[in-house]
Amino acid sequence: SYVLTQPPSVSVAPGKTARITCGGNNIGSKSVHWYQQKPGQAPVLVIYYDSDRPSGIPERFSGSNSGNTATLTISRVEAGDEADYYCQVWDSSSDHFVVFGGGTKLTVL
Amino acid sequence: QVQLVESGGGLVKPGGSLRLSCAASGFTFSDYYMSWIRQAPGKGLEWVSYISSSGSTIYYADSVKGRFTISRDNAKNSLYLQMNSLRAEDTAVYYCARPRGGQSWFDPWGQGTLVTVSS
């Protein structure tokens, strides 16, 4: 089955840029979606179709996808951005259909 | 606004059964696929099941196939997950979520309901 690989943790100082990667075999040929999950809360969609933002998500959140890596970029990081972030694809060739990455804990220093 | 509210979680012994419910509001429920996704304590997200808008098409993850049954009642704007032969590894928070973009991504998610399988 298709596997998505994320770094377990990323740390960034406030006001700087955080980049969270999501690796997968030829992931650039798939659509990647990203979710933010704060402690004790349900996941929230922050990016869909690689780089589109749902309404209400700040422009500081952006996404890209090419080759074997998709990236979620958070500019001008704020303390409130500290959360777990998950990438996700829909893989019609897999029995699982929906594949999530293992998640990345973003720590704001 | 679009809202999903799960209920029915609790403590159950291994081999037991539980039925989860998800009440939907703020959108035309019968127009959308729906899905269950779970998260074991301290772990990542795992997709469990999809059901089409009419209920005629259903998919399951291999880990629950043959034990879990997804269903819906469009007249009641409700989604269900019947869980049988429960195992310790089924312990998780179970979220209902609305698939979008051709069932590609999920938005929104409910707040989740905790299922604990333990003797």
Side-chain angles (χ1 to χ4, degrees):
Chain A
S1 60
Y2 195 75
V3 176
L4 296 175
T5 302
Q6 296 182 239
S9 63
V10 168
S11 298
V12 63
K16 300 299 185 183
T17 298
R19 293 179 179 85
I20 298 172
T21 59
C22 177
N25 184 34
N26 197 25
I27 195 173
S29 67
K30 302 180 183 298
S31 292
V32 180
H33 320 294
W34 292 90
Y35 304 88
Q36 175 193 68
Q37 186 180 33
K38 296 182 179 180
Q41 297 184 19
V44 173
L45 180 74
V46 293
I47 292 289
Y48 64 101
Y49 280 159
D50 297 339
S51 59
D52 289 343
R53 263 188 329 275
S55 61
I57 300 301
E59 291 183 7
R60 301 183 297 103
F61 288 80
S62 62
S64 62
N65 183 20
S66 178
N68 292 318
T69 305
T71 303
L72 173 69
T73 301
I74 309 172
S75 304
R76 302 181 300 283
V77 167
E78 302 174 357
D81 297 331
E82 187 162 289
D84 293 326
Y85 291 85
Y86 293 90
C87 58
Q88 177 248 312
V89 300
W90 187 76
D91 182 29
S92 60
S93 65
S94 168
D95 287 343
H96 294 84
F97 293 99
V98 177
V99 181
F100 288 97
T104 297
K105 168 67 176 177
L106 177 66
T107 299
V108 181
L109 301 171
Chain B
Q1 74 282 18
V2 176
Q3 193 171 14
L4 300 170
V5 179
E6 301 93 335
S7 60
L11 175 63
V12 60
K13 289 181 168 54
S17 298
L18 209 57
R19 189 195 196 205
L20 306 182
S21 300
C22 172
S25 60
F27 65 103
T28 305
F29 182 72
S30 58
D31 284 349
Y32 289 86
Y33 271 63
M34 292 296 296
S35 191
W36 288 98
I37 298 165
R38 68 184 181 183
Q39 185 173 34
K43 301 297 185 182
L45 301 167
E46 180 189 15
W47 170 76
V48 172
S49 182
Y50 267 128
I51 186 168
S52 64
S53 54
S54 66
S56 60
T57 301
I58 287 173
Y59 301 112
Y60 297 102
D62 287 347
S63 57
V64 306
K65 203 174 293 183
R67 300 186 300 122
F68 290 11
T69 302
I70 191 172
S71 63
R72 64 191 296 160
D73 185 335
N74 286 342
K76 295 183 177 179
N77 291 339
S78 292
L79 175 72
Y80 306 103
L81 186 67
Q82 177 67 43
M83 303 185 296
N84 298 331
S85 303
L86 283 162
R87 307 165 179 167
E89 55 264 35
D90 295 319
T91 294
V93 174
Y94 285 73
Y95 297 100
C96 70
R98 186 180 68 173
R100 303 294 306 280
Q103 287 60 260
S104 185
W105 71 85
F106 301 93
D107 180 56
W109 300 51
Q111 87 289 350
T113 187
L114 176 62
V115 173
T116 303
V117 184
S118 175
S119 54

